[in-house]
Amino acid sequence: MKKILTIVGARPQFVKAAVVSKALNEKEIQETIIHTGQHYDHEMSTVFWEELNIPAPAINLGVGSMPHGAQTGIMMQKVEDYILEKETKPDGLMVYGDTNSTLAGAIVASKLHIPVIHVEAGLRSFNREMPEEINRILTDHASSILFCSSEKGVDQLAKEGITDHVYNTGDVMYDAILRFSKIAEEKYQLSDLTNISANNYILATIHRPANTDNEDNLKSLLSAFGRVDKQVIWPVHPRNKHRLKEMDIPENLQLIDPVSYFRMMVLLKNCAMVITDSGGLQKEAYWMKKKCITARDETEWVETLEGGWNTLTGADEEKIISAVNSEPSIPWKPLYGSGKASDMIAEAILNYH
Ligand code: UD1
């Protein structure tokens, strides 16, 4: 029986693990999950494990918040200790996306000669100032099996000389939407979450340091929010709570606590459009056929830009207002696979020798 060790640590990775774990289990691949503890607040972590019924982690390394070097380093040390304490090495170590937990897992496994399995491989924003871009590049180059969300990822890896065991599976977050959105709607009505009616609000999330730690950018975003003719609902990442307390908040902006995956699905389903700097939410907006305005200057999810379904505005107030007032110019079409990514991933892992 194949044995896989999976490393997760941050909110979006819990969602991805929920669908992939199930697929591995169905193929009788034995999976052990390690939670690095990068996200630790109840609403950033536990709530996802409970709601999505993710198999409990064998261990939570409790690493928590620290500067990047320290955080990644301590994760590496603890993951390595965990692996070395066991009698047998796993057949592969799986990581998701581009966080510090991803990089830590990939470096440790490659040094222990354990094949690294990277889900969401081949993505590039080409902005090396974002820690995620460095994490993506290094993880891909340490990986033995690479699962891409689209053909663009496969092409990018080929340009960088990585061609073996590269698969275009589509995106596991699409599997998650297909599997969970109905369940989410059965669990929550919009009125359980907000007193604003459907299509009368914009759903916003802003958490990138380039926006939240730069006062001019944050002011510009808040000013844009204040000019839209709808309410704006913003579930706030804990790192930004204090900063927002010091700012002037427009009257139409509702700051709420971070929400669970199911709650987010319902808020997304009923919103008029999305304004975000998140990676995952750009895709989720697209799959829910919502226009997205991305408060960044580049995106790794370039396919969503076609026809204006997604628009890059940075933190520029005028660009945001102009995007709010324009409509996509082409019909919606499926992107990032058919919702079978997790099954394809499990199958490829089973057949890897
Ligand atoms: C991380 C990822 C980012 C991803 C995001 C998903 C990296 C480099 N970044 O960003 O790619 O989009 O997760 O949400 O890995 N904090 C809390 N409680 C928590 C977690 C964090 O209060 O449970 C606060 C702390 O002040 C902490 C800060 O948030 O210092 C940043 O957390 P961290 O995990 O380092 O990065 P994120 O911004 O969450």
Side-chain angles (χ1 to χ4, degrees), residues 102-103 106-107 110 116 118 124 128 131-143 146 160 162:
T102 313
L103 178 63
I107 294 178
S110 55
V116 177
H118 188 203
R124 298 290 180 265
R128 287 203 177 209
E132 292 81 6
E133 182 73 353
I134 303 299
N135 292 345
R136 287 179 200 119
I137 295 168
L138 297 179
T139 301
D140 282 341
H141 284 260
S143 291
L146 303 97
E160 296 178 23
I162 304 170

Side-chain angles (χ1 to χ4, degrees), residues 237-293:
H237 186 302
R239 73 189 294 276
N240 303 315
K241 264 188 194 145
H242 296 298
R243 185 159 293 262
L244 284 166
K245 277 203 183 110
E246 299 156 8
M247 310 293 289
D248 290 331
I249 304 300
E251 268 179 26
N252 64 331
L253 174 58
Q254 293 190 7
L255 301 175
I256 63 170
D257 286 336
V259 290
S260 71
Y261 184 69
F262 285 178
R263 287 168 186 259
M264 194 63 178
M265 286 297 99
V266 173
L267 286 173
L268 186 54
K269 183 86 197 255
N270 290 287
C271 73
M273 67 188 89
V274 170
I275 303 180
T276 190
D277 60 6
S278 149
L281 194 53
Q282 292 172 55
K283 290 180 284 179
E284 289 171 331
Y286 188 84
W287 290 317
M288 289 273 197
K289 304 187 178 159
K290 304 290 177 179
K291 182 175 79 178
C292 183
I293 294 161

Side-chain angles (χ1 to χ4, degrees), residues 8 150 169 337 339 350:
V8 292
S150 78
T169 54
L350 199 61

Side-chain angles (χ1 to χ4, degrees), residues 10-12 38-41 44 65 68 71 98-100 131-132 135 207-208 237-239:
R11 189 165 54 168
Q38 180 171 351
H39 286 174
Y40 45 85
D41 283 350
M44 296 292 282
S65 303
H68 287 260
Q71 188 181 54
D98 54 18
T99 71
N100 290 344
E132 292 81 6
N135 292 345
H207 75 285
R208 302 281 172 191
H237 186 302
R239 73 189 294 276

Side-chain angles (χ1 to χ4, degrees), residues 311-329:
T311 306
L312 296 173
T313 60
D316 188 308
E317 182 178 338
E318 297 309 322
K319 283 189 189 164
I320 293 171
I321 296 301
S322 148
V324 165
N325 294 323
S326 63
E327 287 310 316
S329 59

